[in-house]
Amino acid sequence: MNHRAVVIAGGNSVQLAKKVAKRLRASFTPLHVSRFPDGESSVRIQVNVEGKAVIIINALYPQANEALMDTALAIDAAKHAGALSVNVVVPYLAYMRQDKVFNRGESLSAGVMARVLDDADRVIAVDPHLHRIHQLGDLFKTRAESMTANGALASYVQKHYRNSIIVGPDAESYQWARAIAEQVGLQSAILTKTRFSSTRVAVKLHGHVSIKGRHVVIVDDVLSTGHTVAEAAKLARRLGAKRVSCVTVHGLYVDDAV
Ligand code: R5P
């Protein structure tokens, strides 16, 4: 038993946190969260973390705003309880797609999210949506790192989707699509996407790539409403693909995604 580390699970990552605690042979505790009638949250760490390395695990989906606030409160609670270090693992880091002020009057929300978590000694996210911001270190003041699921996805593709062509449905996703294609030695192609609203997108194929008769595997980092993948799948069908599959890191499946 590792008596120096405590894994604390936020409400969105209980199963994962249990597995991590088991692997680390560290103690596990769920974060106790209560909500006041006016909607405020109150958290409590129910074990002694004094002098211990605390690892808080919480995905920022579903309920991104509540999950972010709960995580921030947990960081502060661990510090007040005398933790030696406070490490936050965020399997899905929300707000990363708001990585610039797109329209006058908007916030740079990725930066706000980072400031909320910056009190931690270390932040680790899995495949954060790094696009205009190239690395988490450019966003956070605290030590921040990314892990990637590319290896796991590449093994899956190699095992189940041999002889396929990997398609990134937009410029942002192509970093994942290309990396996975390269790992398994498959051809890759990129689509260009125009987004009209959060539920309306259009895609077209970039360059001369033959898809006819092939098995297309769409690779995206985030599947939210599913419209990006759905439009990419429709295009692949129109271009004669004989089969279309999709692999994604963060399956949010918002509102019974299409
Ligand atoms: C954005 O660029 C991401 O890579 C995804 O393509 C996007 O978040 C998917 O959203 P949705 O599923 O709502 O189309």
Side-chain angles (χ1 to χ4, degrees):
M1 187 77 184
N2 179 348
H3 294 288
R4 290 173 303 173
V6 178
V7 175
I8 299 175
N12 285 343
S13 298
V14 176
Q15 296 311 321
L16 176 66
K18 274 186 188 162
K19 286 185 191 164
V20 172
K22 198 169 169 198
R23 187 77 76 87
L24 294 177
R25 296 166 56 81
S27 53
F28 165 84
T29 184
L31 181 68
H32 184 269
V33 182
S34 47
R35 308 259 180 239
F36 288 106
D38 63 358
E40 285 181 5
S41 307
S42 164
V43 307
R44 195 156 55 82
I45 298 170
Q46 302 173 104
V47 298
N48 180 13
V49 296
E50 193 173 347
K52 309 229 170 119
V54 162
I55 302 157
I56 300 164
I57 306 185
N58 204 17
L60 300 187
Y61 185 82
Q63 307 298 344
N65 296 341
E66 277 185 8
L68 181 60
M69 192 61 190
D70 293 352
T71 307
L73 295 175
I75 294 167
D76 192 69
K79 290 195 149 183
H80 276 99
L84 178 67
S85 64
V86 182
N87 308 277
V88 177
V89 179
V90 194
Y92 174 68
L93 192 59
Y95 285 105
M96 289 300 290
R97 287 172 294 172
Q98 296 185 52
D99 59 354
K100 82 171 210 186
V101 176
F102 293 95
N103 301 295
R104 197 180 165 90
E106 291 176 350
S107 62
L108 206 171
S109 308
V112 177
M113 173 277 295
R115 289 200 292 282
V116 171
L117 298 178
D118 253 338
D119 269 352
D121 297 303
R122 189 177 178 189
V123 174
I124 298 173
V126 180
D127 284 310
H129 187 82
L130 292 168
H131 179 45
R132 277 161 283 254
I133 295 163
H134 299 296
Q135 50 187 7
L136 288 185
D138 297 340
L139 187 62
F140 286 85
K141 287 203 179 72
T142 195
R143 183 177 169 194
E145 293 147 273
S146 313
M147 295 174 72
T148 180
N150 278 352
L153 297 185
S155 307
Y156 188 90
V157 167
Q158 192 158 42
K159 191 164 166 207
H160 299 277
Y161 302 147
R162 282 163 175 233
N163 305 321
S164 55
I165 173 166
I166 307 291
V167 170
D170 55 25
E172 284 128 290
S173 63
Y174 192 56
Q175 56 181 297
W176 284 271
R178 187 178 47 206
I180 288 169
E182 278 171 4
Q183 279 185 45
V184 295
L186 291 172
Q187 189 190 357
S188 66
I190 179 173
L191 307 183
T192 42
K193 176 168 87 179
T194 311
R195 184 175 279 288
F196 304 103
S197 72
S198 50
T199 54
R200 210 163 70 80
V201 299
V203 292
K204 57 179 189 227
L205 186 62
H206 193 80
H208 301 283
V209 185
S210 175
I211 277 179
K212 200 169 165 52
R214 304 188 70 182
H215 177 189
V216 167
V217 177
I218 301 161
V219 172
D220 206 348
D221 61 327
V222 183
L223 191 154
S224 179
T225 66
H227 284 92
T228 299
V229 166
E231 288 305 316
K234 279 191 227 162
L235 176 66
R237 291 281 188 209
R238 276 204 303 277
L239 296 174
K242 74 163 193 280
R243 196 176 159 205
V244 184
S245 306
C246 170
V247 172
T248 185
V249 184
H250 303 290
L252 309 183
Y253 307 110
V254 169
D255 293 335
D256 294 332
V258 289

